[in-house]
Amino acid sequence: MFRKTVGLCIVLVLLLGALSPALAQEGKVVIRYANFTAGQDRAAELDQIIAAFEAEYPNIKIEPYNMPFGDYFTMLQADFAGGDPPDVFELNYENFVAFAANGVLLDLSAYVSEDAPYYPQALHAFQYEGKQYALPETFSTVVLFYNKDLFDQAGIDYPTAEWTWVDALETAKAIRALGPDIWGIYSPIQFWEFYKRAAQNNCQFFNEDKTETLINAPECVEALQTMVGLLEEDVMPDPAEQAGVSDSELFQAGRLGMQVTGIWMMPAYQEVPFNWDIQLEPGMATKAYHFFSNGIAVDINTEHPLEAAAWAQYMTSSKTAVDVRLAADWELPTLNDMSLFESYLAMTPPDNREVVFQSLEAPVPPPTIARQSEMQDIFDELFNAVIAGELDPETALNLAKERVDSLLTS
Amino acid sequence: MVGQSGVKRWVWVMLFLSPGLLGLLVFIVGPVIFSLGLTTFEWNLLTPPQFIGLQNYASLGQDPRFWAALEHTALYTVLYVPAVMAVAFMLALLLNQPLRGRAFFRMAFYVPVVSSWVAVSMMWRWIFNPQYGLMNFLLGLLGIQGPAWLFDPATALYAVVIASVWKDSGFSTVLFLAGLQGIPHEYQEAAQIDGANAFQRLRYITLPLITPTAFFVLITTLIGAFQVFDQMYLMPVEYAQRGTTVLVQLIVNNAFRYQRMGYAATLSWVLFAVIFAITVVQLRLQKRWVYYEL
């Protein structure tokens, strides 16, 4: 008898244990939110935004899944393959197209009001075949960081907004002359830099209907040539000279005059023991700047489309989300209202923080295709052969055209 | 009666085997069959798989990455397997001597085997660093200008082979050591009495009698070499990976970067076929050089 009672109790406890999470959330809609931008560092900030949202929508509970960027897309795809994707999830612009093309995203057009404060170009970027498949969340751009002290030491003027890559190269030579350990400039030779350099030289990536790349046109070859020129002129370290020290570490060590990199590096440079500032990146035939953006999308099969869309909207455009982001110097919200950014602009260094917004005047979003990672890897493999001196820019881009064209047609 | 108890016994056998069998079916046999079927599909995980027949196999021929990876894998194997075997055998001969501190050395050579590749890679990345690494410092003392090792696609593979031999030899050493100790003392003593010197004893007694162990080590290191991944993924810088990407890396990239599950499954089966073929050839060849008695 005693044994039976104990056994029954154990079964009951187990049952209650299994049911209790469900009981605790009774009457509440649970929205699972997968993201890669909060991670460990910004989990507290995300929780802050979630708390404010739940206070405003007492019937909704947000369950965040903070994942590292490296594993994020694999896990997201595995969730989709397993038939159990999160209700709401972040997508970067490059992956957005693949997801939209596969028809797994909910059309959010109906949930975006006329006067939504999104930056129009960003809103447009997250449309596919005329439908709003994600809301723009944050943006980043790439600027020219420079070490003022090295410029002073070399007795040269600081970069201006009108600079071309010719000016940058001449200046880099002067800084390189300061010592064998001092490098003039670092501008990575990879897909992300190349698509923008191509745009700066009026090189078109694809034809109108994206059935063919035009990447081996003379303007494109010239764009790649200016990138490799920095290595040939020895103002930028090659991989062996760099020896595993990242360009940002070089900059932080005060051994790099100029660095072309994202505004996401600004928090890391707050404590460096020298003066630095930022400027718009140099141009070629024209000016063009990066526009990297993350958006928030909703699973087409979610059981709670209204609640999911409400969270997507809150996360991308609420005052709370904006304030929390800016206070933490997290990523910049993609909103078209400069008054929101006053606190951000007041932070120094850099003094010239307006450059971040000036670069939005000529933005180029990355070229995207359904087989995005494959295309990027093709370019990076060929560029590495160019860095090694095995291919010249023209041959490399001819090969790139051949291989990327086959991705577009198959 | 006999028949009934036979059935009963069989039921008991199956009952005790079932946990293991179930695991084998669910986690090994099932996925193997699934992956073989997957080779005839195109599947990006987001949308339902599409049957494409043998197209994945046809794509192999036109995939320059596949041929490069096959070449890198073969080169790695050709360099790594003989080196591991030679180093391990030599270490085993030394450790088989009645040396002072023999237990310490036996442990010391086994430590790299149980270390994680993540930690070991960090150490070797430092050793091979062209600017401030130990390797080029030592070469510099000899007046040699060292290469860029892991930073150059032309040399990165060789650097990985050196690190791999260092890390893995300990395991084969233990096997060789066991083999050496399994050789009956009588043979050595009889040969000694007959006036055979140390070299003659090695050549005519130790070497032939160690061949079964050598055969086992050869087969297992060959299979391991074809499946090399961790160190290739961790050590060469991205820029140099053009010279080192191996088959398993290609499988990972196709499955999880390019979302080409069907093609990745095809590559896995090709890798399996290559390993299988080489192992069959080895099994055939063993009659020519493996001795189980003198």
Side-chain angles (χ1 to χ4, degrees):
Chain A
M1 191 59 204
F2 176 70
R3 263 207 203 158
K4 266 192 183 168
T5 319
V6 170
L8 198 68
C9 283
I10 291 175
V11 169
L12 273 176
V13 167
L14 285 175
L15 266 176
L16 275 177
L19 284 173
S20 60
L23 287 174
Q25 289 158 8
E26 199 188 0
K28 276 196 183 185
V29 169
V30 177
I31 297 292
R32 290 174 301 156
Y33 171 59
N35 70 81
F36 57 82
T37 56
Q40 299 298 315
D41 302 343
R42 307 293 186 188
E45 280 85 0
L46 178 60
D47 288 344
Q48 229 177 309
I49 301 175
I50 290 176
F53 175 79
E54 288 175 345
E56 208 169 308
Y57 296 82
N59 64 320
I60 307 179
K61 180 168 171 44
I62 304 295
E63 221 172 69
Y65 293 86
N66 304 341
M67 291 184 242
F69 181 77
D71 305 326
Y72 180 76
F73 287 97
T74 306
M75 291 170 89
L76 192 57
Q77 256 140 355
D79 284 346
F80 269 97
D84 188 30
D87 302 282
V88 184
F89 44 89
E90 275 181 347
L91 285 177
N92 58 4
Y93 174 72
E94 303 82 63
N95 280 292
F96 164 74
V97 177
F99 276 75
N102 279 304
V104 296
L105 305 182
L106 183 72
D107 180 7
L108 297 172
S109 306
Y111 301 100
V112 183
S113 61
E114 281 291 310
D115 57 346
Y118 300 111
Y119 182 68
Q121 177 123 13
L123 197 61
H124 187 258
F126 287 102
Q127 286 168 4
Y128 184 80
E129 293 179 345
K131 288 178 179 162
Q132 193 71 45
Y133 281 119
L135 300 179
E137 182 193 14
T138 56
F139 83 94
S140 285
T141 185
V142 166
V143 297
L144 183 72
F145 287 71
Y146 63 98
N147 181 326
K148 281 184 166 179
D149 290 6
L150 285 180
F151 272 71
D152 292 343
Q153 226 177 303
I156 38 179
D157 295 333
Y158 297 144
T160 67
E162 286 73 41
W163 260 26
T164 65
W165 282 102
V166 178
D167 302 312
L169 178 61
E170 290 313 310
T171 308
K173 284 181 188 166
I175 295 170
R176 178 80 173 105
L178 289 175
D181 277 352
I182 309 286
W183 295 94
I185 189 166
Y186 194 93
S187 166
I189 301 173
Q190 28 94 317
F191 174 80
W192 301 114
E193 283 298 315
F194 174 69
Y195 91 76
K196 171 197 57 187
R197 207 66 86 87
Q200 289 174 354
N201 208 29
N202 296 321
C203 150
Q204 242 193 306
F205 228 83
F206 297 112
N207 64 353
E208 279 296 309
D209 51 359
K210 271 197 186 176
T211 50
E212 195 192 348
T213 64
L214 307 171
I215 208 63
N216 58 346
E219 308 85 73
C220 310
V221 174
E222 199 191 348
L224 182 56
Q225 185 55 55
T226 60
M227 297 174 73
V228 187
L230 300 177
L231 280 180
E232 290 168 351
E233 300 282 350
D234 197 36
V235 294
M236 169 171 147
D238 67 29
E241 289 165 328
Q242 213 180 327
V245 180
S246 77
D247 46 331
S248 299
E249 285 164 341
L250 273 182
F251 188 80
Q252 279 169 308
R255 292 174 49 201
L256 190 56
M258 293 173 275
Q259 186 194 13
V260 179
T261 191
I263 55 170
W264 54 82
M265 288 312 300
M266 293 199 303
Y269 292 169
Q270 294 306 312
E271 306 296 329
V272 293
F274 53 83
N275 295 305
W276 61 279
D277 206 347
I278 59 174
Q279 182 51 274
L280 285 167
E281 133 163 31
M284 291 185 72
T286 177
K287 287 278 198 171
Y289 311 105
H290 279 111
F291 183 75
F292 292 127
S293 188
N294 296 321
I296 296 191
V298 174
D299 166 34
I300 194 166
N301 293 319
T302 178
E303 288 169 27
H304 311 289
L306 274 174
E307 290 83 356
W311 167 243
Q313 267 198 330
Y314 193 88
M315 190 63 196
T316 51
S317 62
S318 70
K319 181 87 169 66
T320 310
V322 171
D323 290 345
V324 170
R325 278 183 188 291
L326 294 184
D329 206 354
W330 193 357
E331 291 189 28
L332 288 174
T334 322
L335 299 174
N336 201 16
D337 178 356
M338 283 311 287
S339 67
L340 293 170
F341 297 108
E342 272 163 19
S343 64
Y344 178 78
L345 287 171
M347 286 189 271
T348 57
D351 293 328
N352 204 6
R353 215 175 259 259
E354 296 82 28
V355 160
V356 173
F357 297 94
Q358 285 163 14
S359 68
L360 289 177
E361 283 157 24
V364 260
T368 53
I369 62 171
R371 291 170 73 175
Q372 185 71 18
S373 324
E374 262 176 288
M375 175 175 75
Q376 288 169 209
D377 282 4
I378 287 173
F379 277 107
D380 287 341
E381 279 166 28
L382 290 167
F383 291 167
N384 281 336
V386 173
I387 295 172
E390 290 163 27
L391 293 177
D392 61 82
E394 192 180 354
T395 318
L397 290 177
N398 281 335
L399 287 168
K401 178 187 162 52
E402 199 179 298
R403 291 175 63 186
V404 174
D405 278 353
S406 77
L407 293 184
L408 294 173
T409 49
S410 66
Chain B
M1 274 328 249
V2 172
Q4 205 187 1
S5 78
V7 170
K8 222 174 165 184
R9 220 172 111 172
W10 194 78
V11 169
W12 277 110
V13 167
M14 286 318 286
L15 198 68
F16 281 116
L17 281 179
S18 60
L21 275 180
L22 206 68
L24 190 73
L25 281 176
V26 172
F27 296 110
I28 309 281
V29 180
V32 164
I33 294 170
F34 181 76
S35 80
L36 186 60
L38 205 54
T39 62
T40 59
F41 283 89
E42 191 175 291
W43 187 31
N44 67 5
L45 291 174
L46 285 177
T47 47
Q50 280 193 321
F51 183 75
I52 55 165
L54 295 178
Q55 216 175 296
N56 278 325
Y57 293 91
S59 309
L60 283 173
Q62 298 145 22
D63 185 353
R65 287 199 187 111
F66 167 70
W67 293 106
L70 196 62
E71 192 188 317
H72 299 149
T73 311
L75 182 58
Y76 174 83
T77 307
V78 165
L79 295 170
Y80 166 85
V81 174
V84 163
M85 293 191 65
V87 170
F89 184 61
M90 247 121 59
L91 285 178
L93 282 179
L94 285 175
L95 294 178
N96 202 28
Q97 306 300 314
L99 299 169
R100 184 186 275 269
R102 188 164 70 160
F104 168 78
F105 285 113
R106 284 182 180 179
M107 185 205 68
F109 287 114
Y110 204 72
V111 166
V113 178
V114 290
S115 307
S116 135
W117 254 120
V118 177
V120 171
S121 305
M122 286 180 73
M123 183 188 84
W124 281 95
R125 280 186 87 146
W126 167 72
I127 292 175
F128 282 129
N129 190 294
Q131 304 290 320
Y132 50 83
L134 181 68
M135 187 65 96
N136 281 5
F137 171 76
L138 293 176
L139 288 175
L141 293 182
L142 302 172
I144 301 168
Q145 166 76 46
W149 296 111
L150 297 163
F151 295 84
D152 182 347
T155 51
L157 188 92
Y158 300 97
V160 176
V161 170
I162 293 171
S164 303
V165 170
W166 176 85
K167 179 165 176 354
D168 298 343
S169 291
F171 182 73
S172 304
T173 303
V174 170
L175 296 174
F176 274 123
L177 202 53
L180 287 175
Q181 290 178 347
I183 297 174
H185 285 293
E186 296 80 27
Y187 292 162
Q188 303 279 9
E189 280 161 13
Q192 214 164 357
I193 291 165
D194 287 345
N197 63 27
F199 176 78
Q200 284 168 327
R201 271 178 283 139
L202 176 73
R203 171 68 189 84
Y204 295 105
I205 295 173
T206 311
L207 275 181
L209 284 175
I210 202 73
T211 49
T213 310
F215 178 65
F216 178 77
V217 171
L218 175 68
I219 296 271
T220 49
T221 46
L222 256 178
I223 293 174
F226 269 96
Q227 294 176 338
V228 60
F229 175 72
D230 302 14
Q231 56 268 52
M232 289 293 184
Y233 182 75
L234 290 164
M235 283 171 61
V237 292
E238 216 178 315
Y239 164 74
Q241 279 171 7
R242 204 161 34 99
T244 64
T245 310
V246 286
L247 282 170
V248 179
Q249 260 172 305
L250 202 60
I251 295 169
V252 172
N253 278 346
N254 273 287
F256 303 112
R257 259 180 82 73
Y258 308 153
Q259 285 80 47
R260 297 176 72 191
M261 283 294 163
Y263 191 59
T266 310
L267 287 166
S268 318
W269 278 90
V270 168
L271 177 59
F272 168 75
V274 170
I275 293 175
F276 186 76
I278 288 177
T279 309
V280 167
V281 169
Q282 290 300 329
L283 285 170
R284 289 272 159 87
L285 286 178
Q286 78 162 310
K287 288 183 199 106
R288 299 205 185 161
W289 63 277
V290 179
Y291 303 89
Y292 288 94
E293 54 191 301
L294 281 176

